[in-house]
Amino acid sequence: MRPLVLLLIAFCFSINTSFVPIKSGDSQDQLQDVDRLFYVAKIWGFLKYYHPLVAKGSYNWDEKLQNMIEKTAKYKTHAEFSNYIAKWVYYMGQLPPCRSCNNSNSDQHFLKNFDLSWTQDRRFSDEFRKTFKNIENNRFQGNHFYISQGDAQQFEPKNEGPDFDFIWKDPNQRLLPLFRYWNYIEYFYPHKYLTDQDWDDVLKEMIPKFLNADTELGFHLAMLELIVKIDDSHAGLVTSELDEMPYNNFLPARIDLIENQVVVTEIIDRSKAQMSDLKVGDVLKNINGRSAVSMHEANRKYIWGSNEAVKNRNIYHTLFMGMKEPPHVEIERNGSVRTATLNLYKYSDLSYQSNNSAEKWSIVDDSIGYADLGKVTNGDVDQMMSELINQQFIIFDLRSNPRVSYRALAKYLNPSDTVFAKFTRPDLSYPGKFIWDGERTCGEENEDYFKGNVVLLVDENTQSNAEFTCMSLQTAPNVTVVGSQTAGTLGNVSKFAILARLHTSMSAIGVYYPDGSETQRVGIVPDVNVKPTIAGIRADKDEVLDKAIQIAQEEIERLKEIARLEELARQRRLDSLARLDSLRVLDSLRIDSVRMNALPMDSLQMDSLKIDEGIDN
């Protein structure tokens, strides 16, 4: 009896909810192939993360994408296309009402990335719009088949089948990694709203590039170009094809963009650098007859980074990309120009010789301490601070990744527990929305905290953990930041494979100052801007540290002068008080004298007689 009742209920439900196609009417607006594939990508991603049957893994969704691409190719108007999609979704299965879905926005939601307005585009049929709004309102809740949240609240894809039998020569299959990655960013990248290029425009631009990638290397370069467009220094692409491009061909010396010129700033492998006669301060003017700077600009679509400072920093990785023969380079050294053929190497073949001889901390000048936080460890902090805490200034160098915890330092620098950051994380129950997820504090109640001045040194190498540490140390009472724009790349990192042998990563949570100010792409904004110069590099000067010491010295001298003037004023006050006391004594004597002169003579004599008589007695 029970099966029969259930069957009748199901039959009645199917009658009441059967799909009724909507005619296109007068809407004959043409749908170009790129636009069609653009919507296929968005629909496929929306259903993947929202539709309960898809989100729990009921379908081979990658296979469904290929089917959708092929089946929609014949539709040339928005109405025809949307009618087909609505019917296709209907036959996937009906949705039970979601009683736990909260469709309103709360104060806890961060909404700058969220936009499903495209599902209600008036060019689509009424049935399409109703279907997709119904899916949004009754979206999947629970343990998602395709996404999860890591221990640090970061987005992590799962069950994507990175070993999918991918055939790169098939144009439709080449769209799979594009659509997959694009939707990762669309719904789970906390900084999508900050990208230079609108994310929808990125998809429209990249579809033809993936379709036209006629070599495997061309396909991998298109993938790299796509990833660069999220403007994130945590991003990048690791593939064997790019490794063998030769993409990772390096000089035995580090180069940086200094004063808009390509300059050797550090020798990495001394013996190999000597073979090419490369020295610190050399300027690479032209490469194979082209300006080195213009070559850097030409490669920018392959250079990942959150801001210009990082993109310029990464010139070392990309300037010689794709060169199969040793380049002919015009080199300027102290006014003289020569042409040399420079050998390039894989980074693994270079013998890096770092300079670890410098002390972890020291007293660099009268009342000025210095600490390299790239060398100081948590075990060093107590001893270091006992030696530096009586200085008037402590300079903390954050131009490399700190080995020390910000908590270990902040307890010495703050008089109390202080909020310095707050976060957002993806809301997996409502993809595209993010949630404000708590605050981070540093410091503790401490009457004996460091009461002097703190100087923080930063540059484009100050990234991620170093920036987070800098944010915490900025809460100390007297702080000055010296240097240049930092990497603007904070937050825990998601690492994942888009396909087998295509590995990437991204910043996965949002990090903000307590007042909601941006850190991503902005970085730490210096109070005093200082950048290295070619002259300074050639003279082996650390101009950022020199500026910090100068600031400290000038402040110490200023404080000394203030103390001298205060002491002088104090002495003057004392002298004035002494003179005033003297005048008061003199005035008192004058008054007494006047009074004495006013007395009768016989009174004085009688007093004298009385005194004398008293003595005699």
Side-chain angles (χ1 to χ4, degrees):
M1 183 67 180
R2 185 178 179 184
L4 180 59
V5 171
L6 292 176
L7 183 61
L8 288 171
I9 293 172
F11 178 75
C12 293
F13 183 80
S14 66
I15 292 175
N16 292 332
T17 59
S18 60
F19 174 79
V20 180
I22 304 298
K23 294 182 180 180
S24 61
D26 296 330
S27 177
Q28 295 297 323
D29 52 320
Q30 293 298 304
L31 186 66
Q32 302 298 324
D33 279 345
V34 170
D35 292 328
R36 174 181 60 85
L37 292 171
F38 167 79
Y39 285 120
V40 166
K42 291 175 75 76
I43 290 166
W44 180 76
F46 173 84
L47 295 174
K48 180 178 182 178
Y49 298 123
Y50 273 77
H51 197 292
L53 295 177
V54 181
K56 71 179 184 181
S58 300
Y59 299 98
N60 182 333
W61 205 235
D62 294 341
E63 186 178 276
K64 290 291 185 184
L65 173 62
Q66 301 303 308
N67 178 266
M68 196 189 303
I69 291 172
E70 294 169 4
K71 295 293 185 182
T72 60
K74 62 183 178 182
Y75 299 114
K76 303 302 181 184
T77 69
H78 287 84
E80 293 171 346
F81 172 81
S82 58
N83 268 322
Y84 170 79
I85 292 295
K87 183 176 180 180
W88 188 75
V89 172
Y90 167 77
Y91 283 113
M92 287 172 57
Q94 298 304 300
L95 302 182
C98 176
R99 304 190 186 283
S100 62
C101 290
N102 183 356
N103 296 313
S104 61
N105 298 320
S106 72
D107 292 340
Q108 288 299 106
H109 271 125
F110 181 89
L111 300 172
K112 290 185 178 181
N113 290 311
F114 183 72
D115 183 11
L116 294 180
S117 62
W118 62 272
T119 66
Q120 304 305 302
D121 191 321
R122 299 302 300 178
R123 291 174 296 180
F124 292 149
S125 67
D126 290 342
E127 193 66 26
F128 178 98
R129 297 198 300 273
K130 291 176 184 176
T131 297
F132 277 72
K133 177 54 73 173
N134 184 51
I135 295 171
E136 179 187 352
N137 291 338
N138 297 284
R139 63 195 174 276
F140 179 76
Q141 304 288 289
N143 185 20
H144 206 291
F145 184 74
Y146 290 109
I147 51 176
S148 63
Q149 222 151 25
D151 293 338
Q153 304 300 308
Q154 75 274 22
F155 152 76
E156 291 184 348
K158 62 179 182 178
N159 296 322
E160 289 287 24
D163 296 327
F164 171 77
D165 188 18
F166 177 74
I167 303 173
W168 74 264
K169 292 183 179 180
D170 183 337
N172 287 348
Q173 287 203 28
R174 287 200 297 271
L175 293 175
L176 170 63
L178 166 61
F179 291 179
R180 182 184 281 181
Y181 181 81
W182 187 89
N183 279 288
Y184 288 161
I185 304 303
E186 173 73 0
Y187 291 105
F188 307 111
Y189 182 49
H191 310 296
K192 184 189 74 171
Y193 69 100
L194 291 174
T195 56
D196 282 344
Q197 190 174 359
D198 179 82
W199 196 237
D200 279 356
D201 292 343
V202 168
L203 180 57
K204 291 176 182 178
E205 177 188 337
M206 296 308 298
I207 286 171
K209 293 187 178 184
F210 274 74
L211 289 175
N212 297 328
D214 55 359
T215 66
E216 189 167 12
L217 177 58
F219 160 68
H220 284 252
L221 285 173
M223 199 75 231
L224 175 60
E225 186 176 349
L226 169 67
I227 290 169
V228 164
K229 288 180 181 293
I230 72 170
D231 299 312
D232 185 359
S233 304
H234 278 148
L237 183 65
V238 179
T239 79
S240 57
E241 281 71 17
L242 293 181
D243 286 345
E244 296 166 7
M245 187 174 167
Y247 172 71
N248 288 332
N249 271 5
F250 296 93
L251 288 175
R254 178 173 176 80
I255 52 175
D256 286 285
L257 201 67
I258 307 293
E259 297 180 301
N260 203 35
Q261 297 195 69
V262 180
V263 183
V264 174
T265 55
E266 181 185 4
I267 300 301
I268 295 174
D269 188 314
R270 291 174 187 165
S271 61
K272 290 182 174 65
Q274 287 175 353
M275 291 171 59
S276 296
D277 188 25
L278 283 175
K279 293 184 178 180
V280 170
D282 284 352
V283 177
L284 310 188
K285 305 293 288 185
N286 294 291
I287 302 171
N288 292 334
R290 291 180 58 192
S291 161
V293 173
S294 67
M295 289 185 65
H296 172 55
E297 292 299 320
N299 288 336
R300 290 185 78 80
K301 65 181 180 180
Y302 300 126
I303 305 175
W304 61 96
S306 298
N307 53 39
E308 289 300 301
V310 178
K311 290 179 184 288
N312 290 337
R313 179 192 78 189
N314 287 340
I315 189 174
Y316 177 63
H317 299 275
T318 57
L319 186 62
F320 296 99
M321 64 182 294
M323 291 190 181
K324 297 181 179 179
E325 301 294 334
H328 302 289
V329 182
E330 188 178 273
I331 303 171
E332 183 267 322
R333 180 185 298 166
N334 297 323
S336 299
V337 178
R338 66 185 176 92
T339 301
T341 301
L342 300 182
N343 292 320
L344 302 175
Y345 306 87
K346 287 192 174 297
Y347 196 77
S348 57
D349 294 335
L350 297 175
S351 299
Y352 183 72
Q353 298 161 321
S354 62
N355 179 20
N356 289 321
S357 59
E359 294 179 291
K360 295 180 181 181
W361 68 86
S362 60
I363 307 297
V364 296
D365 197 60
D366 182 34
S367 300
I368 304 172
Y370 167 82
D372 185 345
L373 297 189
K375 296 176 181 177
V376 174
T377 65
N378 287 341
D380 295 324
V381 172
D382 290 343
Q383 181 183 348
M384 177 185 74
M385 291 307 299
S386 69
E387 295 179 17
L388 300 183
I389 202 163
N390 292 322
Q391 305 304 311
Q392 289 181 267
F393 276 81
I394 302 179
I395 300 170
F396 292 110
D397 199 333
L398 284 155
R399 292 174 293 173
S400 60
N401 188 41
R403 297 179 63 196
V404 63
S405 163
Y406 69 88
R407 293 184 185 277
L409 276 176
K411 68 180 184 180
Y412 282 99
L413 304 179
N414 291 73
S416 61
D417 190 37
T418 307
V419 175
F420 72 91
K422 63 180 183 178
F423 312 100
T424 61
R425 62 172 174 83
D427 183 355
L428 300 191
S429 70
Y430 211 142
K433 293 185 178 182
F434 287 73
I435 298 173
W436 287 110
D437 190 41
E439 299 174 328
R440 188 63 58 85
T441 64
C442 63
E444 59 185 36
E445 296 295 328
N446 180 14
E447 293 181 356
D448 299 323
Y449 71 96
F450 175 65
K451 297 178 178 62
N453 294 270
V454 172
V455 179
L456 307 176
L457 306 187
V458 300
D459 65 8
E460 67 278 5
N461 298 300
T462 306
Q463 179 170 315
S464 196
N465 178 45
E467 291 177 290
F468 198 62
T469 301
C470 192
M471 288 175 69
S472 72
L473 300 186
Q474 281 182 294
T475 61
N478 302 299
V479 178
T480 302
V481 181
V482 176
S484 55
Q485 184 181 30
T486 64
T489 310
L490 292 92
N492 300 309
V493 180
S494 285
K495 298 180 180 180
F496 49 88
I498 306 168
L499 286 175
R501 300 182 297 114
L502 270 74
H503 295 266
T504 189
S505 56
M506 69 181 190
S507 302
I509 64 171
V511 181
Y512 301 82
Y513 280 104
D515 64 357
S517 300
E518 306 283 359
T519 62
Q520 189 74 8
R521 304 204 68 191
V522 178
I524 308 300
V525 179
D527 300 301
V528 180
N529 279 284
V530 186
K531 290 185 177 182
T533 64
I534 296 174
I537 289 167
R538 286 173 173 170
D540 195 26
K541 290 183 177 181
D542 186 341
E543 292 166 285
V544 177
L545 176 58
D546 289 347
K547 183 63 176 179
I549 292 172
Q550 177 192 341
I551 290 170
Q553 289 172 334
E554 290 176 352
E555 179 64 11
I556 289 170
E557 289 303 313
R558 189 182 73 84
L559 292 174
K560 285 180 179 178
E561 180 63 13
I562 290 173
R564 186 185 71 80
L565 293 174
E566 287 178 345
E567 176 61 22
L568 182 60
R570 191 181 70 84
Q571 288 296 333
R572 286 176 176 172
R573 284 197 300 271
L574 290 175
D575 291 344
S576 296
L577 289 173
R579 286 196 296 273
L580 183 59
D581 287 343
S582 299
L583 289 172
R584 286 172 179 165
V585 170
L586 290 173
D587 286 345
S588 177
L589 290 173
R590 290 193 196 99
I591 291 170
D592 290 346
S593 176
V594 169
R595 288 174 178 170
M596 289 178 69
N597 291 333
L599 291 174
M601 193 62 172
D602 54 355
S603 327
L604 292 173
Q605 290 174 350
M606 288 299 294
D607 289 341
S608 300
L609 288 173
K610 290 177 182 177
I611 292 170
D612 292 340
E613 289 174 357
I615 293 173
D616 290 342
N617 291 335

